[in-house]
Amino acid sequence: MNEDVLIKVQSNPKFKELVRKKTSLGWQLSLVMLAIYYGFILVLAFNPHSLGTPIAQGSVITIGIPIGIFIIVSAFLLTGIYVRKANSEFDALNQQIVEEARK
Amino acid sequence: MKSRIASLYAGLLTALPTLALAGEAMTGEVEKQPLNISAIVMFFIFVAATLFITYWAARKTKSASDFYTAGGGITGFQNGLAIAGDYMSAASFLGISAMVYEKGYDGLIYSMGFLVGWPIILFLVAERLRNLGKFTFADVASYRLSQTPVRMFAATGTLVVVAIYLIAQMVGAGKLIQLLFGMSYGSAVVLVGILMVMYVLFGGMLATTWVQIIKAIMLLSGASFIAFMVLGKAGFSLNHMFEMAVDTHNKGMAIMEPGGLVANPIDAVSLGLALMFGTAGLPHILMRFFTVSDAREARKSVFYATGFIGYFYILTFIIGFGAIFLLTNQPGMMETVMKNGKEVTQLVGGNNMAAIHLSEVVGGNLFLGFISAVAFATILAVVAGLTLSGASAVSHDIYASVIKKGKANEADEMRVSKITTLALGVIAMLLGIVFEKQNIAFMVGLAFSIAASANFPVLFLSMFWRGLTTRGAVLGGAIGLVTAVVLIILGPAVWVDVLKNETALFPYKNPAIFSMTLAFFFTWLFSVTDSSRQAQEEKAKFDAQFVRAMTGIGAAGASKH
């Protein structure tokens, strides 16, 4: 990449917008995932038996089971949110930045 | 080249019936599991199909880019399936369903950890990785740093992870074929080694990817069917399924909550770190991001991969519980063996065979054949990906970039990668034989710890932290790598289980919490204290790297054909 293109991109307000939006969404969703997972790990570490509470009186299913399934499903949903946002909004913005840098 | 492939292809075709005969002749040793014709037929169909793909791919694989990344022409969806294929290893399929069978809920903990790394990879790593790299993750780590030391470090990290992961896969393969064919463990491992070398040597990434995709589809359909049948046997009531499992299992209600897998808080957090961030440091997974055309496809591939992998882990959970109530104490399913001087009752062939036995119970002999072929295909596909990744570390990072200073001609680079492929094949076979008795799911955990402690910190900081310098990356990464390896050796898995000492010198099974922290800390420390002129230049190059990482301007594109 030559200096010229670099400076053009860096001074483009759309680039700053892209960086801000993309980075903040990336970190926010990462934090959500980390919070969900390490929340679970901490329960596992300090109070594992609480996960053995039955979901209903007389049921053998413990709350640990739906929580586990929820964590798996949440991972998929979070990636879906990111891809949706990135495909629609970020890519369009990026396209403009790349085209403007070529001028 | 073409004639060499043709003759090897012909040679292998003639060798196949011989192997089958050899299997037949050796059934005396494993009479419990007589020769299963349908399994063998399906297995050979799979092998023939994959060799045909290899032949097809070999004709299209001409340049180094074809060999390492299939020319960058894989779509996001295909790559998602292939990533899922790489990730749903035999250790996942057999190991996790076995862990659920043995311990119940604990198996789910492993699954979750394996999965939650994926969103993080998507949000923080995938697109930047695709925009900055070409063939290996070392391309990214060394983007603005000094080539020689950083590539040497990255190649070492790659080879160590690949070696350990390969051991896990080889052990799984040996046990599986032993059970299926009545072949000896050793010859099974050799067979796997030969096939994986064939795929990689001739078909490169294109063949490896398609083997991976086919296997992923087979595995997902097979596992779906088993899970469906298990639920059917429980009258499609989860409650009933868990009830029957609790009634059958000797641990009773304890299988419905976390148990002894994670013995203490340190181990729990450490395991979590290793699984989550290890994924983002596995070289054969990272390499997959270079097979797609651009960052957009890279992003899509993670989305699809996460969906497939998540679905797969839910299936293994059901399969594990199904194995508890459908296999335990059933006639012909259990055997008693001596382990460390104690009598242990386990499934025939070991508890790692839970999913295999279950397939016979729910789907009969034909389906057993199918699942056996799938499990075997799984191992083949994963070892091929690992081998390719190890070979590119040697040829692209060490040979072309370090020894030849980036001036290697392509033919020589390809030749080195092919020689390495052969060498890795031999090493994998030897290690597979040496490590026969290890629990395969745990071996994968070790690979993750090292990936999280050596590769991930350097890769991550190179993309996110302007202040990273060569000195910091190499020293910090090396400290992470050495710490992880040493702590594993001194820990219970090797010091007690392998070296037969009384107590472990390091009390935790999972070193990641220490080794990863040390790696980050020392990378930071050796970077900020680096006031050399070179360090200044490296920091100055961050801006250009950042623009390329974000926008893809200047990124390696897909090759034309």
Side-chain angles (χ1 to χ4, degrees):
Chain A
M1 189 182 316
N2 59 43
E3 275 306 297
D4 187 40
V5 174
L6 178 60
I7 291 165
K8 254 188 199 162
V9 172
Q10 276 183 316
S11 56
N12 190 340
K14 284 176 187 161
F15 178 68
K16 287 176 186 136
E17 187 190 343
L18 176 72
V19 170
R20 196 183 65 240
K21 283 187 172 165
K22 205 170 175 176
T23 318
S24 77
L25 180 70
W27 283 107
Q28 278 168 19
L29 291 175
S30 297
L31 285 178
V32 172
M33 190 73 252
L34 287 168
I36 291 175
Y37 181 57
Y38 283 98
F40 173 79
I41 289 290
L42 289 178
V43 173
L44 197 65
F46 293 103
N47 194 2
H49 291 299
S50 64
L51 293 167
T53 317
I55 49 167
Q57 195 86 44
S59 169
V60 290
I61 300 180
T62 56
I63 55 164
I65 306 276
I67 288 175
I69 303 297
F70 163 76
I71 292 174
I72 289 177
V73 172
S74 71
F76 180 60
L77 293 180
L78 289 174
T79 57
I81 293 171
Y82 180 85
V83 168
R84 209 187 149 96
K85 187 102 173 158
N87 279 354
S88 56
E89 199 180 333
F90 301 160
D91 277 355
L93 203 55
N94 198 19
Q95 191 63 35
Q96 293 169 17
I97 295 167
V98 172
E99 273 162 24
E100 283 166 28
R102 283 212 192 99
K103 279 177 197 160
Chain B
M1 187 70 198
K2 229 177 202 175
S3 70
R4 226 169 73 201
I5 295 163
S7 65
L8 232 147
Y9 185 53
L12 203 102
L13 281 183
T14 50
L16 290 179
T18 325
L19 284 173
L21 285 177
E24 211 162 6
M26 288 156 84
T27 43
E29 203 183 318
V30 275
E31 275 163 340
K32 290 166 237 155
Q33 209 66 34
L35 197 68
N36 185 332
I37 299 299
S38 64
I40 292 168
V41 168
M42 280 189 228
F43 165 67
F44 282 138
I45 292 173
F46 174 81
V47 169
T50 53
L51 286 174
F52 181 77
I53 287 171
T54 307
Y55 175 70
W56 163 78
R59 305 202 317 184
K60 298 186 80 171
T61 301
K62 295 188 182 83
S63 65
S65 158
D66 294 334
F67 181 77
Y68 293 127
T69 63
I74 306 290
T75 69
F77 181 76
Q78 291 166 347
N79 195 40
L81 263 176
I83 289 175
D86 258 322
Y87 214 58
M88 300 181 299
S89 59
S92 297
F93 179 52
L94 304 180
I96 291 192
S97 48
M99 199 178 265
V100 175
Y101 169 77
E102 273 176 42
K103 296 172 176 167
Y105 193 80
D106 278 353
L108 190 60
I109 298 172
Y110 253 92
S111 307
M112 274 181 249
F114 280 129
L115 190 68
V116 292
W118 282 103
I120 306 293
I121 289 186
L122 172 63
F123 305 149
L124 302 178
V125 180
E127 294 172 51
R128 292 174 191 234
L129 193 71
R130 177 62 191 85
N131 282 339
L132 292 173
K134 199 174 168 204
F135 296 154
T136 63
F137 89 90
D139 291 340
V140 182
S142 68
Y143 189 85
R144 66 193 156 98
L145 305 181
S146 176
Q147 293 292 311
T148 302
V150 176
R151 289 217 185 241
M152 284 306 290
F153 159 73
T156 311
T158 299
L159 290 172
V160 173
V161 170
V162 164
I164 292 176
Y165 221 112
L166 267 177
I167 293 170
Q169 299 301 321
M170 282 298 194
V171 172
K175 291 193 173 157
L176 183 68
I177 302 175
Q178 196 177 17
L179 189 80
L180 179 63
F181 287 84
M183 266 169 89
S184 75
Y185 178 89
S187 46
V189 165
V190 170
L191 175 66
V192 172
I194 290 172
L195 282 170
M196 85 181 187
V197 167
M198 298 272 300
Y199 295 151
V200 177
L201 202 58
F202 299 114
M205 185 52 112
L206 191 58
T208 306
T209 302
W210 278 102
V211 169
Q212 206 63 271
I213 291 173
I214 294 174
K215 155 264 170 125
I217 294 171
M218 285 167 65
L219 182 56
L220 286 168
S221 346
S224 300
F225 180 74
I226 302 181
F228 178 80
M229 294 303 282
V230 164
L231 290 174
K233 300 240 178 203
F236 293 101
S237 153
L238 280 178
N239 201 44
H240 190 49
M241 178 184 89
F242 288 125
E243 265 173 10
M244 288 196 288
V246 167
D247 287 345
T248 316
H249 205 287
N250 58 13
K251 293 196 181 89
M253 268 308 281
I255 59 171
M256 299 301 289
E257 63 174 62
L261 172 70
V262 185
N264 56 59
I266 304 265
D267 250 338
V269 175
S270 201
L271 175 70
L273 284 174
L275 295 181
M276 190 167 204
F277 296 107
T279 309
L282 290 176
H284 65 298
I285 299 281
L286 293 172
M287 196 173 178
R288 293 232 64 91
F289 289 103
F290 306 122
T291 65
V292 292
S293 58
D294 54 24
R296 186 186 169 94
E297 293 300 311
R299 180 199 299 149
K300 281 199 247 167
S301 39
V302 186
F303 171 67
Y304 291 122
T306 310
F308 289 129
I309 297 167
Y311 171 66
F312 173 73
Y313 283 141
I314 292 175
L315 295 179
T316 56
F317 190 59
I318 297 172
I319 290 171
F321 269 91
I324 295 174
F325 78 87
L326 289 170
L327 300 183
T328 311
N329 303 328
Q330 296 301 312
M333 287 296 165
M334 310 302 288
E335 65 181 10
T336 303
V337 293
M338 297 298 284
K339 267 188 190 165
N340 301 331
K342 279 183 289 187
E343 274 196 358
V344 180
T345 304
Q346 61 173 22
L347 289 172
V348 173
N351 288 341
N352 280 327
M353 294 300 147
I356 305 285
H357 291 310
L358 188 60
S359 67
E360 187 179 12
V361 171
V362 301
N365 225 357
L366 200 65
F367 188 64
L368 168 72
F370 177 74
I371 285 296
S372 305
V374 167
F376 184 71
T378 296
I379 293 168
L380 274 179
V382 173
V383 291
L386 286 165
T387 306
L388 184 56
S389 159
S392 29
V394 173
S395 60
H396 181 61
D397 295 331
I398 296 181
Y399 175 76
S401 304
V402 173
I403 298 177
K404 292 288 176 181
K405 307 284 174 209
K407 295 192 186 76
N409 78 50
E410 206 167 298
D412 285 342
E413 185 175 337
M414 296 270 282
R415 196 163 58 238
V416 172
S417 65
K418 294 190 169 185
I419 295 168
T420 315
T421 302
L422 276 175
L424 281 172
V426 173
I427 294 170
M429 293 181 221
L430 291 177
L431 290 176
I433 290 165
V434 172
F435 279 80
E436 185 179 345
K437 300 291 178 198
Q438 285 285 301
N439 178 319
I440 59 177
F442 193 71
M443 290 297 287
V444 170
L446 301 188
F448 273 74
S449 292
I450 296 171
S453 314
N455 304 350
F456 173 72
V458 172
L459 179 67
F460 180 79
L461 291 175
S462 75
M463 294 191 288
F464 279 86
W465 186 41
R466 180 186 301 271
L468 179 74
T469 72
T470 298
R471 190 175 86 164
V474 172
L475 290 177
I479 288 170
L481 176 67
V482 172
T483 315
V485 172
V486 168
L487 292 183
I488 285 164
I489 293 174
L490 299 181
V494 178
W495 198 254
V496 178
D497 294 350
V498 178
L499 301 174
K500 308 286 175 213
N501 290 295
E502 278 294 309
T503 49
L505 298 177
F506 174 73
Y508 306 112
K509 284 187 198 162
N510 306 289
I513 192 171
F514 302 102
S515 48
M516 202 174 138
T517 311
L518 283 179
F520 270 107
F521 174 74
F522 282 109
T523 308
W524 170 80
L525 184 71
F526 287 119
S527 292
V528 292
T529 56
D530 187 352
S531 54
S532 65
R533 178 204 278 274
Q534 187 196 334
Q536 299 303 324
E537 286 168 6
E538 286 166 359
K539 289 174 196 169
K541 286 183 195 158
F542 184 77
D543 284 328
Q545 181 196 323
F546 184 69
V547 167
R548 174 165 159 178
M550 293 304 286
T551 61
I553 296 174
S559 61
K560 289 287 172 279
H561 53 95

